[in-house]
Amino acid sequence: MEYLHIEHGGRTIRGVLHLPEGAEAAPAVALCHGFGGNRAEFGYSFVRLAERLAANGTAAYRFDFAGCGDSDGDFADLTVSDQVAQAVAVLDGLAGHPAVDGERLSLMGMSLGGLTAQLAAAQRPVASLALWAPAAGAVAMSEEGAKRRADAIAERGYDDFGGLPVLQSFVDDAKGIDAFADAAAYTGPVLLAVGTEDFVLKDDLLERYQDLYGDRLDLQIFDAVGHGFETVPARERLVEITTAFLTRTA
């Protein structure tokens, strides 16, 4: 494992690169964490995933988005478009690493990181795409949800989402993004994992993912867990199937 930092928009994006032992030009996967998270992700799942990928011959880069973890920036400045631009910069940075095969890059993301990954995959040649409970609803909110957020911002200047602020700049940026049309240029294989109790990726959005990716989609349903795959068996299965998918398709 080595530290790898990438410059983007006057900020340093900080992360760690897990490399297969003895590999000269390994395929690589960039791991995009969720809203308010960091490069370890819930239950250290990104650490475990990266270690298993490296053990199976695929490099994995865990990084903190700007304003998160150890990276530069202010979390209040978060927008989806900025995160997508950061993910693209990460792919470009990985492509130039001497131990990475720049022609074999993949993306993986959790929640808002999943939305980020699916949008970034449409902007660069990506071998494969793995999504854990992608948060398309962040840019495709229901009328009720959008009104609640607008009212909160009007009252306080921000929407309090899990103890972190969502500002008007996030809302304005989201209006210009179509989670599905803007992701359509990606034509490779997709793994999508979701729990049956997920409050973020509901059935209507899941159907849109199925329509978008068609027979390229490997859909994995996890019974009786929510957005964070909150049981030991669920998280073990999640890491296992994602490792197998990315090792096979990267």
Side-chain angles (χ1 to χ4, degrees):
M1 185 181 75
E2 66 178 52
Y3 288 100
L4 175 63
H5 303 328
I6 293 170
E7 299 301 315
H8 178 265
R11 304 161 301 188
T12 300
I13 307 302
R14 295 181 171 85
V16 291
L17 180 63
H18 297 248
L19 290 167
E21 189 172 348
E24 294 184 1
V29 182
L31 310 184
C32 303
H33 67 76
F35 178 88
N38 58 56
R39 63 184 183 239
E41 251 307 336
F42 59 74
Y44 311 108
S45 56
F46 273 16
V47 179
R48 295 167 58 212
L49 176 60
E51 290 174 345
R52 292 200 196 180
L53 285 169
N56 283 275
T58 298
Y61 181 57
R62 301 185 291 111
F63 67 98
D64 297 323
F65 281 110
C68 300
D70 294 322
S71 291
D72 293 350
D74 187 338
F75 184 83
D77 295 331
L78 169 69
T79 67
V80 173
S81 293
D82 186 34
Q83 285 207 164
V84 172
Q86 292 173 58
V88 170
V90 163
L91 289 175
D92 292 344
L94 285 175
H97 193 284
V100 168
D101 182 348
E103 301 298 317
R104 299 173 65 193
L105 301 178
S106 297
L107 280 164
M108 179 273 153
M110 165 63 195
S111 191
L112 191 64
L115 173 62
T116 299
Q118 75 189 59
L119 295 170
Q123 298 188 22
R124 289 291 186 275
V126 173
S128 55
L129 176 64
L131 307 174
W132 294 356
V139 297
M141 297 184 75
S142 66
E143 288 187 15
E144 179 183 359
K147 183 179 185 308
R148 183 204 58 78
R149 174 157 288 173
D151 290 346
I153 292 174
E155 178 183 352
R156 294 189 298 263
Y158 63 91
D159 181 22
D160 191 328
F161 189 79
L164 290 167
V166 176
L167 274 63
Q168 187 63 43
S169 55
F170 183 97
V171 175
D172 292 342
D173 175 73
K175 291 176 182 176
I177 298 171
D178 185 316
F180 301 98
D182 294 348
Y186 172 71
T187 59
V190 182
L191 171 71
L192 195 160
V194 61
T196 57
E197 309 305 313
D198 194 335
F199 72 98
V200 173
L201 183 53
K202 296 183 179 180
D203 289 346
D204 58 331
L205 290 174
L206 184 57
E207 289 175 2
R208 296 190 68 183
Y209 276 106
Q210 292 173 298
D211 290 341
L212 173 64
Y213 295 125
D215 59 9
R216 296 179 289 119
L217 180 65
D218 179 356
L219 178 61
Q220 297 285 331
I221 304 294
F222 287 67
D223 290 333
V225 296
H227 191 60
F229 302 89
E230 303 90 351
T231 69
V232 171
R235 290 180 175 183
E236 175 57 29
R237 176 188 166 202
L238 188 62
V239 170
E240 181 179 345
I241 64 174
T242 307
T243 300
F245 172 81
L246 290 170
T247 300
R248 182 175 70 251
T249 59

